[in-house]
Amino acid sequence: MRFVELFAGIGGFSLGFERAGMKCVGHVEIEPYAQKVLLKHWPDVPLISDVKKVKGDEFGKVDLLCGGFPCQDISIAGNQKGLKDENGESTRSGLYDEIIRIAGVCRPRYIVLENVANLLSRADWFGYVLGKLAEIGYDAEWEIIRASEFGLPHSRSRLFIVAYPNGSRLESLDLQKPTRINPEESCRRELARAINEAIPANDYARDRGDYNGVPQIMDRLRCLGNSLVPQIAEYIGKQIIETEKQ
């Protein structure tokens, strides 16, 4: 399956989806330092700096579109403006609309989104997200998944949304049953190591971090805070691939 990652950061979705067996065909990221990380590890993948300049057809056939759109106006640590401000103007988090615009052009089989769990705290915020997906003909399922459920020693609760065209409800896609890890079975670092060793490494990801799931060779504090846990992306990616087989 061919995918494009929007708001790519250092490529958390890309790392996980490629471990699941998918192929990245495009990155979109505006931050210069993160661009350097992407180009180092995916030198052959086209990179566009501004999501507003993406037409939607420049990557060829796209089976899956993914992205963790900006959370600054949604997070409890942010300004709580939401996706639109009091004047109805788009906030930084309102760049979500660009995902919808691009998806309307490339019509992927799946759209996978990530953001802070606080997006669910306001009906108007989450209703806007689902409403925009509905406008372009997509249904959606969602679940809050925590890094700690995959053996990592921190909570990092994030909302994941998987959308697909109306009328194609995926009975075999179940985001509510990730591999739950009981932190009392062993020390947290040993759990993280066990999970990491169970997932085959790609050539560009031989070394793995114990604490956040991002390989040590990609572990840069400047970008790590906004990155998602690759193990969760891999989990979702494998479910999607299995669903496609069925």
Side-chain angles (χ1 to χ4, degrees):
M1 295 185 68
R2 294 162 53 90
F3 71 91
V4 171
E5 183 175 8
L6 309 177
F7 308 102
I10 58 174
F13 264 128
S14 294
L15 186 60
F17 283 163
E18 286 197 343
R19 288 177 184 170
M22 299 182 183
K23 178 179 177 59
C24 182
V25 297
H27 283 135
V28 180
E29 172 57 45
I30 197 169
E31 211 280 324
Y33 183 86
Q35 290 176 358
K36 293 179 181 179
V37 177
L38 293 173
L39 291 172
K40 177 181 178 181
H41 298 289
W42 289 273
D44 299 323
V45 173
L47 171 63
I48 297 178
S49 62
D50 190 346
V51 70
K52 294 181 179 180
K53 295 181 179 179
V54 177
K55 295 180 293 183
D57 58 1
E58 54 266 87
F59 302 109
K61 181 178 183 293
V62 176
D63 300 300
L64 185 150
L65 190 67
C66 63
F69 59 98
C71 67
Q72 287 88 343
D73 303 289
I74 299 170
S75 171
I76 56 175
N79 55 34
Q80 303 287 294
K81 288 184 178 180
L83 287 82
K84 302 287 183 180
D85 63 21
E86 60 275 10
N87 298 317
E89 299 294 328
S90 290
T91 62
R92 187 171 180 182
S93 294
L95 286 171
Y96 165 72
D97 287 349
E98 297 298 324
I99 298 178
I100 298 299
R101 177 184 62 80
I102 295 166
V105 175
C106 65
R107 303 300 302 175
R109 178 88 172 91
Y110 300 92
I111 303 172
V112 182
L113 306 173
E114 179 264 356
N115 212 289
V116 294
N118 198 49
L119 179 60
L120 287 175
S121 68
R122 290 274 300 268
D124 53 339
W125 294 354
F126 194 53
Y128 184 88
V129 169
L130 295 183
K132 285 295 182 179
L133 287 169
E135 285 179 9
I136 60 172
Y138 283 77
D139 288 330
E141 299 179 22
W142 58 91
E143 178 73 7
I144 293 175
I145 304 178
R146 298 170 178 83
S148 57
E149 293 171 329
F150 287 78
L152 301 175
H154 52 98
S155 178
R156 203 175 184 87
S157 299
R158 294 293 183 268
L159 173 67
F160 288 86
I161 303 170
V162 177
Y164 39 78
N166 290 341
S168 60
R169 179 170 175 78
L170 308 178
E171 299 298 339
S172 60
L173 182 66
D174 188 358
L175 296 184
Q176 300 182 8
K177 297 178 181 179
T179 304
R180 307 280 173 171
I181 302 296
N182 182 359
E184 297 179 358
E185 293 176 359
S186 181
C187 76
R188 290 177 172 180
R189 182 174 296 187
E190 289 300 317
L191 282 172
R193 184 177 295 114
I195 291 292
N196 285 335
E197 291 176 353
I199 302 174
N202 286 343
D203 290 341
Y204 58 82
R206 292 187 297 272
D207 299 317
R208 302 181 184 279
D210 285 337
Y211 297 104
N212 47 55
V214 176
Q216 293 171 1
I217 55 175
M218 296 176 67
D219 191 340
R220 302 292 184 268
L221 290 179
R222 187 168 177 179
C223 293
L224 197 57
N226 288 328
S227 180
L228 61 88
V229 175
Q231 284 94 328
I232 297 178
E234 179 180 12
Y235 162 76
I236 294 173
K238 285 183 174 178
Q239 285 208 66
I240 289 175
I241 289 176
E242 185 61 29
T243 297
E244 287 291 296
K245 291 178 181 179
Q246 295 178 19

